[in-house]
Amino acid sequence: METIKVYLDNMFLNIPDSEQVQRIKSELYDMMEDKYHELIGEGKPENEAVGIVISEFGNLEELKEELGLKGQEEQDFSDGQAEQETGKGTKKTEESSGKKNKKKENKKKSKDQEEAERRWISFDEAEDYLQAAAVASDCVSVGVMLCVWSPAAVIALSEQGGWGVALGLALLFIFVAAGVGLFILSGTKLEQYDYLKKEVFGIAPGIEQFVREEQEAFHQPFVFQIAIGVALCILSPVPLVVCSILEFSDLLILLCVGLLLVLVGIGSFFLVRAGMRKDAYHVLLQEECYRKEKKTGFLRVFDSLYWVIVAEIYLNWSFHRGSWATSWIIWVIAGVVYDPVVKMLRGKRF
């Protein structure tokens, strides 16, 4: 209930205090409190109940019109202008002060208008986006894993003659096609939420608290998945190195190369999945590269094209040079380079 009270206080922060305003504020709080207890009685969790209550009571401009405060606020502003007009004939210092005050009032009014026109995210929108982002992260991570796995069969079966190469190539194209299909599916899933990454929006304190608690709950799984992904990528060459040192047969060495790709693919799955899920919380909280001042310009375009370009480099390099056994390192390098490049671009304020 404290979250609702704080939210209500913030809503009425810029409205002149009066007996009528206090009465309306008290009535509105009682209504929100009743709705909150009703939702709790239906079995809703506390954070979800707070988010629903806040989202159902509209934004500040709608409340002003419904409660009759809009006319009062405009009248107060007009009275202030009239008082400034009557003081124009006084001292020059007072006139200068009046201009400064008027400039501040106009600036404040412009800021309030911008705040009212800003899109506000409801609890349902935030929850739906997190669910869609979770599904999309699964699709993309599986797609990346399949693309990394795709040449494994070609390499492992190349010693079996024509039929082995043919089967390996067939599996390669099937895996790549499935991976690209999953990329497209994930893009379609998140397409309706593009505005969250591109536009500046408002989020109520109760909804923000819900997102932060979800983010905190994901911290341990995030660390666990990153640790597994990094460990698998580091350990993946071990079987190949051992077989090469002990001079095992070519067939066994090729199988170890295939195993290397399988381990890297699984590691990439955990890294991409964890990264995308964490990224979804940054989007809603407008943090990191989704900060309000970073939602326009080159950085946004770079973020959308980066991994597409990496995939293109990986496939072209592997096909043209036939270096499937080593080209997987491109994904590792791309992941390591991504954050420094983004931070550099942020510093240039694109």
Side-chain angles (χ1 to χ4, degrees), residues 14-62:
N14 296 322
I15 298 178
D17 193 18
S18 66
E19 185 178 345
Q20 180 194 9
V21 171
Q22 289 296 330
R23 177 179 57 79
I24 292 174
K25 184 178 177 182
S26 176
E27 292 176 357
L28 188 56
Y29 179 77
D30 290 339
M31 293 166 59
M32 296 174 81
E33 187 178 22
D34 291 341
K35 181 63 176 178
Y36 170 81
H37 288 300
E38 179 185 338
L39 292 169
I40 293 295
E42 293 175 358
K44 299 285 187 182
E46 182 178 349
N47 292 331
E48 183 176 350
V50 171
I52 294 174
V53 168
I54 290 174
S55 63
E56 284 189 0
F57 279 83
N59 59 39
L60 184 58
E61 288 300 308
E62 292 175 353

Side-chain angles (χ1 to χ4, degrees), residues 200-249:
V200 175
F201 57 84
I203 183 169
I207 302 174
E208 181 179 351
Q209 181 183 356
F210 162 75
V211 176
R212 291 196 181 279
E213 289 181 356
E214 290 289 313
Q215 183 184 40
E216 182 64 25
F218 180 68
H219 179 69
Q220 289 299 329
F222 171 78
V223 173
F224 180 71
Q225 291 181 52
I226 292 294
I228 291 179
V230 171
L232 286 173
C233 289
I234 293 174
L235 296 175
S236 60
V238 172
L240 178 61
V241 171
V242 172
C243 288
S244 300
I245 293 175
L246 298 178
E247 298 182 352
F248 286 165
S249 66

Side-chain angles (χ1 to χ4, degrees), residues 150-159 168 251 253-255 257-258 261 323-326:
S150 59
V154 176
I155 297 170
L157 298 174
S158 60
E159 287 290 312
L251 176 60
I253 291 176
L254 289 175
L255 289 175
V257 173
L261 292 175
S323 56
W324 296 99
T326 56

Side-chain angles (χ1 to χ4, degrees), residues 14-197:
N14 296 322
I15 298 178
D17 193 18
S18 66
E19 185 178 345
Q20 180 194 9
V21 171
Q22 289 296 330
R23 177 179 57 79
I24 292 174
K25 184 178 177 182
S26 176
E27 292 176 357
L28 188 56
Y29 179 77
D30 290 339
M31 293 166 59
M32 296 174 81
E33 187 178 22
D34 291 341
K35 181 63 176 178
Y36 170 81
H37 288 300
E38 179 185 338
L39 292 169
I40 293 295
E42 293 175 358
K44 299 285 187 182
E46 182 178 349
N47 292 331
E48 183 176 350
V50 171
I52 294 174
V53 168
I54 290 174
S55 63
E56 284 189 0
F57 279 83
N59 59 39
L60 184 58
E61 288 300 308
E62 292 175 353
L63 286 172
K64 284 180 184 177
E65 294 178 0
E66 292 177 7
L67 302 176
L69 295 175
K70 194 174 182 67
Q72 176 186 342
E73 194 176 37
E74 292 174 351
Q75 182 62 40
D76 291 339
F77 183 74
S78 300
D79 292 342
Q81 284 186 319
E83 290 176 4
Q84 289 181 5
E85 291 293 332
T86 56
K88 280 185 178 179
T90 59
K91 296 179 181 180
K92 189 175 181 180
T93 55
E94 292 179 356
E95 182 179 352
S96 176
S97 178
K99 287 181 179 179
K100 288 181 180 179
N101 289 335
K102 186 175 180 181
K103 186 177 181 181
K104 288 181 180 179
E105 288 179 3
N106 288 336
K107 186 176 180 180
K108 182 179 179 181
K109 184 178 179 182
S110 175
K111 187 177 180 180
D112 290 342
Q113 183 178 1
E114 181 182 349
E115 185 75 15
E117 292 175 352
R118 179 182 299 174
R119 182 197 291 264
W120 285 82
I121 303 302
S122 67
F123 180 84
D124 288 339
E125 284 178 295
E127 192 174 37
D128 290 345
Y129 171 70
L130 289 178
Q131 292 176 355
V135 174
S137 68
D138 291 340
C139 291
V140 172
S141 56
V142 172
V144 170
M145 181 174 65
L146 290 175
C147 288
V148 176
W149 282 0
S150 59
V154 176
I155 297 170
L157 298 174
S158 60
E159 287 290 312
Q160 304 301 317
W163 72 267
V165 174
L167 178 59
L169 286 174
L171 291 174
L172 184 148
F173 286 112
I174 291 172
F175 278 22
V176 170
V180 172
L182 287 171
F183 294 152
I184 295 172
L185 179 62
S186 68
T188 304
K189 193 75 177 175
L190 292 177
E191 185 177 8
Q192 59 180 314
Y193 300 104
D194 279 349
Y195 65 90
L196 293 175
K197 296 182 178 181

